[in-house]
Amino acid sequence: MIATWLPWPFEREYMQLALVAGLTVGACAPLIGAFLVQKRMSLMGDGIGHLAFAGVAAGLLADVWPIWTALVAAVAGAVAIEWLRSHGRASGDLALALFFYGGIAAGVVLTGLAGSLDAGIFTYLFGSILTVRPADVWVVVGLGAAIVAAVWFTGRALFATVVDEESSRVAGIPVDGLNTMLSVLTAVTIVAAMRVVGLLLVAALMVLPVGASRPIAKSFRGMLLGAVAVGTASVVVGLVFARIWGLAPGGTIVLVAAATFGAVSLGVGVRRRGAGDDTIAWQEPAGGTIPRPPGGPDGH
């Protein structure tokens, strides 16, 4: 996969593989993150990431490609979290805490059982985008395509669901199914991104681009597009900086996204919106608006 027309620093194959995987994740992570932010569940990425960590450790122990074991663990955990939340067995925060700590504890135990294999876990915890293979890239692109397709076909209904579940039920929207789908898409995003920025930082790539786009967006759709633009730009700039100065690519990508968020926040200024101004719709113009959660990107 060598594209000779790409300029430095992407003239080498490993950088091109990293670029394709990074751009896919840079677009998909904020795409899902925007719905989580609107739903005030920004920490869900962290919770599912710890479950994926247990899946990776299980894969290393069983000598199975960790991508698949992480995907199974993350999806199963995401469905369980949504079931606990929707059936009133536990609040969203408590459900996340259960799997957050349970996942990381299971990962630690399984990593210890893996013995000499535990060094491989760091590739998934902190990311290793410069060592992705063509097979890894194809998996990431395939998962990314599934994420984009799901959002494309269900975006409006999903938006209505995360804004007001009760009104959506009255309108006949399959709220439970869409909530479960969002949880599964979050799990798929986590697994797709773990080789790019690592399980410990993937939640940041889901939230920070959204935080950077949100203050200047006039509609939810505009916020989605802005977040995707920030996410993909962060990947490109982060890879360039990492190549120039020999930095860790995953951390550099997240730092670029964080710097963008900070710069936008400073540029826009800290201002309190009144109830009449603090609204956002799916698209402008729209036949109505919905409340935007107050505060930062996590809604607090």
Side-chain angles (χ1 to χ4, degrees):
M1 167 183 183
I2 299 180
T4 56
W5 53 270
L6 285 176
W8 185 94
F10 301 108
E11 81 284 4
R12 298 192 177 183
E13 184 178 17
Y14 77 92
M15 288 296 294
Q16 293 172 18
L17 291 171
L19 181 64
V20 174
L23 288 177
T24 303
V25 171
C28 293
L31 192 64
I32 299 302
F35 291 98
L36 295 180
V37 168
Q38 187 67 45
K39 199 175 181 180
R40 302 189 187 186
M41 292 190 68
S42 299
L43 292 179
M44 189 169 184
D46 273 322
I48 296 179
H50 285 76
L51 287 169
F53 168 55
V56 168
L60 292 174
L61 178 63
D63 198 22
V64 177
W65 197 24
I67 291 285
W68 300 125
T69 51
L71 186 61
V72 170
V75 170
V79 172
I81 290 172
E82 180 55 34
W83 186 86
L84 286 173
R85 189 193 68 83
S86 61
H87 286 76
R89 306 286 179 169
S91 68
D93 289 344
L94 288 177
L96 282 176
L98 170 64
F99 289 94
F100 190 109
Y101 299 116
I104 197 169
V108 170
V109 170
L110 292 173
T111 300
L113 292 175
S116 61
L117 296 177
D118 60 351
I121 204 76
F122 291 100
T123 297
Y124 300 95
L125 281 178
F126 301 104
S128 184
I129 189 174
L130 298 183
T131 63
V132 294
R133 301 165 298 175
D136 298 323
V137 174
W138 280 113
V139 170
V140 170
V141 171
L143 294 176
I147 293 168
V148 172
V151 173
W152 177 269
F153 287 110
T154 65
R156 287 181 178 272
L158 188 58
F159 172 68
T161 298
V162 300
V163 167
D164 190 337
E165 289 192 5
E166 294 305 318
S167 297
S168 297
R169 291 182 193 278
V170 173
I173 296 175
V175 171
D176 292 337
L178 288 171
N179 280 332
T180 300
M181 185 195 75
L182 179 60
S183 297
V184 171
L185 289 178
T186 303
V188 173
T189 303
I190 296 295
V191 173
M194 66 184 184
R195 285 297 302 275
V196 176
V197 295
L199 293 172
L200 297 181
L201 291 176
V202 62
L205 196 58
M206 298 177 76
V207 173
L208 291 175
V210 179
S213 172
R214 187 176 171 186
I216 57 178
K218 295 183 178 180
S219 67
F220 187 80
R221 185 176 182 180
M223 184 177 73
L224 280 180
L225 296 176
V228 168
V230 172
T232 53
S234 297
V235 168
V236 175
V237 175
L239 286 175
V240 172
F241 286 172
R243 179 80 184 274
I244 293 174
W245 292 303
L247 306 174
T252 305
I253 290 169
V254 172
L255 284 176
V256 172
T260 304
F261 178 26
V264 170
S265 298
L266 289 175
V268 172
V270 178
R271 59 188 177 90
R272 295 184 179 274
R273 299 181 179 88
D277 297 327
D278 194 19
T279 55
I280 187 172
W282 171 262
Q283 185 177 4
E284 291 291 333
T289 57
I290 59 91
R292 184 203 310 258
D298 61 352
H300 293 85

